[in-house]
Amino acid sequence: YLQLPENFTSNLANGDGFVQAGLSVSTYYDDKVFANVKRHMVPIRSAILMVLSTQDEVVLSTPQGKVQLQRHLTEAINTVLRSKEGFGGIDNVYFSNLVIQ
């Protein structure tokens, strides 16, 4: 597991609220994947914030919405890694904290 530095804060899609999340990622592969994450943290942070900004507060307040968000974040991170390194490798994203207001 790798805890991503700093929380992520974004307005929600409907413009009335915001989400703040602390995230960790996991991989079944070796530490090279985590080294790639650290090396490309700027585009990864940007991709995460883009995903968070598309979320709907009503959907995100459900357990299913949170699981769906985990999947979207995993795919966003892997997309960045594939474009920069040719390989993703992130298996899941975990919330270390999640505030929706």
Side-chain angles (χ1 to χ4, degrees), residues 4-22:
L4 300 183
E6 303 178 34
N7 287 336
F8 296 83
T9 304
S10 176
N11 292 325
L12 293 168
N14 61 13
D16 292 335
F18 74 92
V19 59
Q20 183 178 65

Side-chain angles (χ1 to χ4, degrees), residues 8-65:
F8 296 83
T9 304
S10 176
N11 292 325
L12 293 168
N14 61 13
D16 292 335
F18 74 92
V19 59
Q20 183 178 65
L23 302 175
S24 296
V25 294
S26 67
T27 184
Y28 291 119
Y29 300 98
D30 59 24
D31 286 339
K32 183 177 179 184
V33 174
F34 290 153
N36 292 343
V37 169
K38 291 174 187 175
R39 183 172 31 260
H40 300 293
M41 189 56 66
V42 171
I44 287 172
R45 284 191 68 83
S46 180
I48 289 170
L49 290 170
M50 294 295 283
V51 169
L52 291 175
S53 72
T54 65
Q55 301 305 302
D56 180 86
E57 184 175 1
V58 174
V59 174
L60 199 53
S61 67
T62 68
Q64 297 85 358

